[in-house]
Amino acid sequence: MTSSVLDLAPVVPVVVLEDAADAVPLARALVAGGLPAIEVTLRTAAALDAIRAIAAEVPDAVVGAGTVISARNVADTVAAGARFLVSPGWTDALLDAMKASGLPFLPGVSTTSEVVALLERGVTEMKFFPAEAAGGTAYLKALSAPLPQARFCPTGGISAASAPSYLALPNVGCVGGSWMVPGDAVAARDWARVERLAAGAAALRG
């Protein structure tokens, strides 16, 4: 796979799964729709089993772990087969653990100082979170002039309608979102609907 999570697809689905049994059909629907990079968040007890199942059974998916907030999270998700790591924020200890994993990772930032601190540590690719609440496209556009070397995956409050304006920015490689995996579709196991929504997201370009 590419060494950059930002270049896999224009949109990275942010997935919350309550039942690991849904992981494989959901991942297959997302891949069929053109979204191979899938971020499974560590917000539920089913998350690690979901990552493990996707890694084992959906070879065309690039499954990653989201909501990574500790070295233990890093170790557990790597063992489960995650191929990239995403955090909502970062500390020195978490950053060291993510670096040591050898996997591509996106540490979360929401301020200019956090971006500069990561650049100082040699990290140029980051998650901008929570994107809408933290200033949205206007904030990212303002960062691009003084800090052009930083690239972002904005996540948090982004919709199919707002995603193109983010993707049009020179410092945005992709966006994270959950609109293609709505809770009612997952609960109903309506994988055809998920595939249709994924196809629409995959077609988004700045």
Side-chain angles (χ1 to χ4, degrees), residues 83-106:
R83 293 169 64 184
F84 65 91
L85 308 171
V86 184
S87 70
W90 66 277
T91 64
D92 286 330
L94 178 58
L95 191 67
D96 288 343
M98 290 195 293
K99 278 189 168 185
S101 74
L103 297 180
F105 61 91
L106 294 174

Side-chain angles (χ1 to χ4, degrees), residues 154-173:
T155 305
I158 297 175
S159 65
S162 62
S165 61
Y166 281 93
L167 292 167
L169 297 174
N171 56 349
V172 170

Side-chain angles (χ1 to χ4, degrees), residues 24-54:
V24 167
L26 176 68
R28 286 178 175 152
L30 291 170
V31 170
L35 299 180
I38 302 168
E39 176 187 335
V40 177
T41 66
L42 301 183
R43 300 180 198 174
T44 67
L48 287 174
D49 285 338
I51 291 170
R52 198 172 289 116
I54 295 169

